[in-house]
Amino acid sequence: VVVAGNLMYNINSHLTVGGGIFGLPGVRSTEGQFPAWLPVDNRLIADEYFRPSYTTGIWALGEVVDRLSYTVMLGNNLSQLGVDAGQLDNGLNTVSASLVWLPSTGEFGGPRSPFGDFQDHEKLATRFAAHYTYSLENYQGQPNTDNFENVQIRLSNGGIIFAPDIFGAGIWVQDARYQMTSVDAGLKYHGFSLDAAYYGRWIDDFQGPGTDGLSSLRDDGFQVLASAMAIQKTLQVYVAGSKIYGQYGDPSDVRIGASWFPWKNQVVRWNAEMLKLNHSPVGALSLPYPVGGNGNVFYTSFEVYF
């Protein structure tokens, strides 16, 4: 159970301002379209590895011009969920922004560009977006490893960069600068959808015992998702995969799945998925994969959303 909220005030189509807990717009999956994903309540490992999360802050969003929209947010840290108030400093040390262009139809299936084409677009719908996130992170502002929203800055082998001795004996990173960029593109047409994203992350400006000679970290990655409504408004099938190119390994995942909508709406669905993991660097108790997961996973989920 998560208790969170925010207040927003709409001035006009070009400007809505808000404050409270909100998703940092650093990747597409934190733009607010949950739970309209292909899998139920979990991301591909590349998206989970690179993304920011939800935190307290202030933001502005709206249209730049017709079919081009923006979101800008100033926040506490990359992820406040699972972090006690006493662990946070009093600065807005995180900034995240996105620019989304919907050139062909001016929409992409509903609010915040959901995945899949449940709506069965009669005209080709397209989406292009760019994101950037900057954050000064401290080891005290990280969530515990057993929290459900386990967003932490990790190495591509699964190690947490703020763990003592992770880079060698006597080295303990206590502060670091995180920068991440993501670009994504998608299309939808007659029940078919294709989405892809690229991620690039830089971590540097390390502070703490033994960090003087520590070089910066650079990781890249991508994900691709393809889906089709095999039976309109009833059965959706998909295949997806992602990969991370990191300094401590190149993990990846591949999955195939299907979702059944028994009442031809998105209120209720039953999902089943087969997932192949290659040394996952991320994981949590709420996810179907653990940190270090390597092998095959089958799981099924029943979702009610209203």
Side-chain angles (χ1 to χ4, degrees):
V1 176
V2 175
V3 179
N6 58 66
L7 293 173
M8 289 190 282
Y9 183 76
N10 174 246
I11 298 171
N12 54 44
S13 63
H14 301 291
L15 180 61
T16 295
V17 294
I21 293 180
F22 199 62
L24 291 161
V27 296
R28 178 177 169 186
S29 69
T30 57
E31 289 180 2
Q33 77 286 92
F34 172 84
W37 299 342
L38 299 180
V40 172
D41 200 16
N42 75 93
R43 300 167 171 86
L44 275 67
I45 66 169
D47 198 47
E48 185 71 18
Y49 178 78
F50 288 101
R51 73 179 179 94
S53 186
Y54 304 86
T55 193
T56 295
I58 55 176
W59 59 88
L61 56 89
E63 292 184 345
V64 181
V65 293
D66 184 39
R67 305 188 180 191
L68 180 65
S69 61
Y70 73 94
T71 303
V72 179
M73 180 175 179
L74 295 175
N76 270 334
N77 65 351
L78 290 176
S79 177
Q80 186 174 324
L81 302 183
V83 179
D84 294 333
Q87 295 174 254
L88 296 169
D89 59 31
N90 61 358
L92 296 177
N93 298 320
T94 301
V95 59
S96 187
S98 68
L99 196 61
V100 179
W101 183 36
L102 308 175
S104 56
T105 61
E107 54 76 47
F108 204 64
R112 306 296 184 180
S113 301
F115 289 85
D117 188 23
F118 185 87
Q119 296 77 18
D120 193 36
H121 281 78
E122 294 184 358
K123 296 182 179 180
L124 179 67
T126 54
R127 167 197 161 98
F128 301 93
H131 313 257
Y132 174 75
T133 303
Y134 172 99
S135 187
L136 300 177
E137 291 289 298
N138 178 269
Y139 76 101
Q140 287 187 311
Q142 294 285 296
N144 297 323
T145 57
D146 59 353
N147 274 289
F148 83 102
E149 272 293 337
N150 187 21
V151 174
Q152 296 160 315
I153 303 178
R154 293 182 179 271
L155 303 174
S156 57
N157 63 5
I160 300 172
I161 70 164
F162 294 110
D165 303 324
I166 193 72
F167 293 105
I171 301 175
W172 181 19
V173 174
Q174 296 182 349
D175 296 276
R177 178 172 57 192
Y178 162 105
Q179 297 182 80
M180 195 273 293
T181 185
S182 172
V183 294
D184 70 76
L187 59 86
K188 297 182 180 184
Y189 184 65
H190 278 304
F192 294 91
S193 72
L194 179 64
D195 300 283
Y198 160 81
Y199 310 90
R201 188 189 72 177
W202 303 264
I203 304 173
D204 59 10
D205 197 19
F206 298 109
Q207 305 294 322
T211 60
D212 289 344
L214 198 59
S215 59
S216 61
L217 298 173
R218 170 66 190 267
D219 293 341
D220 297 275
F222 71 89
Q223 70 173 16
V224 179
L225 308 94
S227 71
M229 296 302 299
I231 303 175
Q232 187 176 4
K233 304 289 186 180
T234 301
L235 180 63
Q236 181 184 61
V237 294
Y238 62 88
V239 59
S242 73
K243 188 172 181 63
I244 299 164
Y245 298 94
Q247 294 181 224
Y248 291 82
D250 299 329
S252 61
D253 67 333
V254 177
R255 56 182 77 193
I256 58 173
S259 290
W260 176 47
F261 303 88
W263 286 284
K264 297 185 178 182
N265 59 42
Q266 293 179 289
V267 175
V268 176
R269 69 165 164 159
W270 184 13
N271 172 267
E273 183 176 276
M274 178 67 76
L275 168 62
K276 182 174 180 58
L277 297 168
N278 175 29
H279 301 287
S280 173
V282 288
L285 294 178
S286 66
L287 302 177
Y289 45 83
V291 175
N294 188 47
N296 299 318
V297 177
F298 173 79
Y299 72 98
T300 185
S301 306
F302 186 75
E303 178 185 85
V304 179
Y305 178 71
F306 56 88

